[in-house]
Amino acid sequence: MLKICRLLRNYPLTAVCVAAIWYLSFFTPPHTELDNVRFIDKWAHVVMYGGTCAVFWAEHLLKGRRKAVTRAAVAAGWLAPLLMSGAIELLQAYCTGGRRSGDWLDLCANATGISLALGTALLLARRRPRQ
């Protein structure tokens, strides 16, 4: 419980983004004109997960850590969102009574966004002056 409180204190914007993803993943979306745009759902997944992970990396890198991109940080900023994404897709497939459907291509889009955010963080960390 103490670790969760520390994570919430250190990464508040990331926590808000994660909560938003969980909410958006299980509510029934309204039908709009955007439904006719090809692959709009996949682009939304790339943006949601890429944006959330970008917020995580921004909060992490702005803390001024000497070794900013560590194994623990990669686990928190790449592996954890990927596992969360897989869990959400399985829950959508088996626990929403047909209102939502789990889609492996959504998982791939999420992984794309997560990986783009990690790649950007690695580039920014490399360019950042050492402290």
Side-chain angles (χ1 to χ4, degrees):
M1 183 66 173
L2 187 60
K3 280 189 173 187
I4 292 172
C5 290
R6 188 174 36 182
L7 280 172
L8 290 173
R9 187 175 54 247
N10 289 331
Y11 300 97
L13 298 176
T14 303
V16 168
C17 291
V18 168
I21 285 176
W22 278 93
Y23 172 75
L24 292 172
S25 295
F26 293 102
F27 90 114
T28 304
H31 293 289
T32 67
E33 293 293 321
L34 290 176
D35 292 340
N36 300 325
V37 176
R38 193 173 165 111
F39 302 118
I40 190 68
D41 176 50
K42 304 312 176 232
W43 285 110
H45 281 267
V46 170
V47 169
M48 279 192 331
Y49 278 83
T52 297
C53 291
V55 168
F56 167 80
W57 286 112
E59 286 181 319
H60 184 76
L61 292 174
L62 290 175
K63 298 221 180 296
R65 293 197 168 93
R66 187 170 298 224
K67 288 180 142 184
V69 183
T70 61
R71 287 183 183 172
V74 171
W78 187 84
L79 184 59
L82 188 63
L83 293 174
M84 181 183 85
S85 170
I88 286 173
E89 293 303 323
L90 289 171
L91 288 169
Q92 284 179 336
Y94 297 110
C95 299
T96 60
R99 286 185 308 111
R100 301 297 299 257
S101 62
D103 185 358
W104 292 111
L105 290 178
D106 286 351
L107 181 63
C108 291
N110 298 341
T112 300
I114 293 165
S115 298
L116 287 171
L118 174 60
T120 303
L122 289 170
L123 289 173
L124 290 174
R126 179 176 282 184
R127 294 181 51 93
R128 197 166 139 229
R130 298 264 179 216
Q131 296 179 354

